[in-house]
Amino acid sequence: MKRYLFPCSTVLFFLFGACACTQRPQPDAYGNFEAVEVLVSADCNGKLLDFRVEEGMRFRRGEIVGWVDTTQLLLQRDQLKAELAVCRAQLPEKEKQLDILREQLAKTRHELKRFRALAEADASTAQQVDNLTYDAEILQKQLDAEESNLDIQTRTLLARMEPIRQQILQVQDRIDHAYVVNPVAGTVLAKYAEQYELAAIGKPLYKVANLDTLILRAYVEEPQLAAIRLGQTVRVAVDSVYAGGAEFSGRIGWIADQAEFTPKVIQTRDERANLVYALKIYVANPGMLKIGMPAEVYFPAAENTEK
């Protein structure tokens, strides 16, 4: 049996050739997944009488997840409504109060007209006509004064009622905001309060984020900017330990307009570069992608170049 001996250089050539054939293309960028997280807090102070939130639960936008005790607000609203009713009851009945003076004035004018006719027939004296004329003028002045006085009373009460109406609207708005409404469709990431605890305006109750689409924040060097553009589709890959070596399609939705120093957790192809540009890549999440998971980005132009 013959044995063939190959030179060491030939063996090394075949070994390096095989490695080169199986070597994967180098990623064009690295980054980590993140999501737009929203902190949800109560819009009024009070005890959480109902709070149906647990970590991992999914809620729709606008869904009511709890409500705050509004007993004191309801009592305050009822008190303001009672004050408004008192002011409304004090409004003068202008027409009824003026009808008496109008009837007296009409009667006096009728008598004046009759006595003037009698005076022309020498059946009455001029003194009687003058007295009735004077009485009609006095009644007209009384009517004008009373009407003006009633108008002032009405305007004063209406002006007093308007702030009460506004206070009622303010209290009602606080009552309406006693419900804890989920602002965005998403999954609860963290819970900070429990039922029957005191809620305060601005105090977070839970944190929610939409995990259906995650944002991959990656960093590229300045020479790579020529190969990318907004709206471009790129290939995103994650480590097999997380998702079985799966690959996803992403869309570049934002590119920074200013450079920044390389973050410590980021390693690019040229580690000596000090300045990089951040970009956001939106990736549809089938359920296996998690916040903080590292990923690799491959640009189409870079792939074509390597081919």
Side-chain angles (χ1 to χ4, degrees), residues 49 57 71 87 90 95 111 132 134 152 187 198 226 236 241 260 267 293:
L49 295 184
M57 296 179 64
T71 302
C87 293
Q90 293 177 353
E95 297 302 321
E111 290 294 324
L132 288 173
Y134 177 76
I152 293 174
T187 304
L198 289 177
V236 177
V241 69
E260 57 183 282
Q267 294 181 354
M293 179 183 293

Side-chain angles (χ1 to χ4, degrees), residues 58-254:
R58 292 176 60 90
F59 292 112
R60 302 184 304 274
R61 179 180 180 182
E63 186 173 355
I64 297 177
V65 300
W67 58 281
V68 180
D69 183 20
T70 58
T71 302
Q72 296 300 321
L73 294 176
L74 292 174
L75 294 175
Q76 184 179 357
R77 185 190 63 181
D78 293 342
Q79 180 182 357
L80 291 171
K81 286 185 176 180
E83 295 179 5
L84 186 63
V86 171
C87 293
R88 189 179 292 112
Q90 293 177 353
L91 287 174
E93 297 182 355
K94 178 179 177 181
E95 297 302 321
K96 290 183 179 181
Q97 297 184 29
L98 294 179
D99 282 345
I100 299 177
L101 291 176
R102 289 193 181 115
E103 290 178 0
Q104 294 178 359
L105 179 59
K107 182 179 179 180
T108 302
R109 287 176 175 174
H110 178 73
E111 290 294 324
L112 177 60
K113 183 178 180 181
R114 187 170 65 87
F115 273 89
R116 282 177 177 171
L118 292 175
E120 292 177 357
D122 295 331
S124 66
T125 63
Q127 183 66 34
Q128 291 175 320
V129 175
D130 293 340
N131 290 338
L132 288 173
T133 302
Y134 177 76
D135 292 340
E137 293 175 354
I138 294 297
L139 287 173
Q140 182 63 53
K141 292 180 179 179
Q142 290 179 353
L143 179 62
D144 295 340
E146 184 66 18
E147 186 175 7
S148 176
N149 184 39
L150 293 175
D151 289 340
I152 293 174
Q153 292 182 18
T154 301
R155 289 195 299 267
T156 301
L157 289 172
L158 292 177
R160 189 182 302 171
M161 292 167 60
E162 187 58 28
I164 299 178
R165 289 195 184 96
Q166 297 301 322
Q167 293 178 29
I168 293 176
L169 293 177
Q170 291 176 358
V171 174
Q172 185 62 49
D173 181 72
R174 293 169 60 187
I175 293 175
D176 296 338
H177 283 80
Y179 294 97
V180 181
V181 181
N182 186 61
V184 295
T187 304
V188 177
L189 303 180
K191 179 182 178 182
Y192 305 115
E194 298 292 340
Q195 189 175 1
Y196 301 119
E197 289 185 355
L198 289 177
I201 298 176
K203 178 182 177 182
L205 299 177
Y206 66 98
K207 180 167 60 177
V208 64
N210 185 359
L211 303 182
D212 294 335
T213 300
L214 293 185
I215 302 173
L216 176 61
R217 180 182 289 270
Y219 296 85
V220 296
E221 302 168 12
E222 188 274 336
Q224 296 176 281
L225 292 178
I228 61 176
R229 64 184 184 276
L230 290 177
Q232 183 180 25
T233 300
V234 297
R235 186 162 56 90
V236 177
V238 296
D239 294 342
S240 59
V241 69
Y242 294 105
E247 293 186 352
F248 307 89
S249 176
R251 178 182 58 85
I252 299 178
W254 174 80

